[in-house]
Amino acid sequence: MRYALATLAAERNHWAGLPMPITGERLIIEPTFPGAAGLMSIGQAESAAASGEGNDGWRERNRWYSSRRQCDVVLMEKGGRIDWGLLPAVHHFDYDLSTLGCVHAWGIEQETRALELLAGMISEHQMRCYLLTGMFVESSRRSGVAYVFRRLRPTIALAAHPGLPAGKARILCALCMHPIGYYARTWAGAMVPTDDVIAHLALMRGDEPMFWRRANQHPAWRPEAGL
């Protein structure tokens, strides 16, 4: 199916390819992507059944994070009745296992091309760091913020702080962005992992404020930050 989608994308001149629906995974697509609604609807019922989600009449009214309980508090409404519940925090291992299930959407050849492209964008030392650890660091020439670009994890933004010892920096936030789409409750994007890293790096270099606007900004203490 992956190769069929690649052929179809080439016929339709979709330079970024077509995201691949995976049984049991909820695919979320950038709304402006051509055919986003149709792609997201494929297997939607199966994904909801697999995750235990269903249309039982309840509608989410509000949600916030409780530091004391270390989870999300959710307000729900049904027929004028208001109720609340606790949504367990993200568990990294659950995310890791779900991400393993998304490898069917990626091809070795596509990841190899992405690695070759990234190698031409960063220094030899940065590429060595990326191949050996899955991450590398680059500082913005505009803001001085240091970014830790990571494969299959949000990018970490760091900045110096007067209250910290020399050589230390504080975490501003984790920046999560998948330009085309992603699989819910995983670390996986619709593109191969290194393509997402390239997108983060290129947008940071080209338009840093836009990078911050487009990305979800997760505090370091939230599980979604991947720390």
Side-chain angles (χ1 to χ4, degrees), residues 78-133:
K78 179 180 180 180
R81 175 190 169 195
I82 301 292
D83 204 349
W84 67 279
L86 302 178
L87 191 64
V90 173
H91 194 293
H92 285 195
F93 191 59
D94 287 342
Y95 264 45
D96 291 339
L97 287 179
S98 297
T99 301
L100 279 175
C102 295
V103 298
H104 304 294
W106 306 322
I108 297 296
E109 60 275 26
Q110 287 82 19
E111 176 68 4
T112 300
R113 287 200 296 268
L115 286 169
E116 292 173 350
L117 176 59
L118 181 63
M121 298 174 66
I122 60 180
S123 70
E124 181 180 349
H125 175 70
Q126 287 174 312
M127 193 65 191
R128 179 181 175 84
C129 291
Y130 184 70
L131 291 175
L132 294 176
T133 69

Side-chain angles (χ1 to χ4, degrees), residues 160-184:
H161 191 272
L164 295 175
K168 299 292 184 179
R170 67 185 180 95
I171 297 176
L172 301 178
C173 71
L175 299 163
C176 182
M177 182 189 71
H178 299 283
I180 303 302
Y182 65 97
Y183 300 93

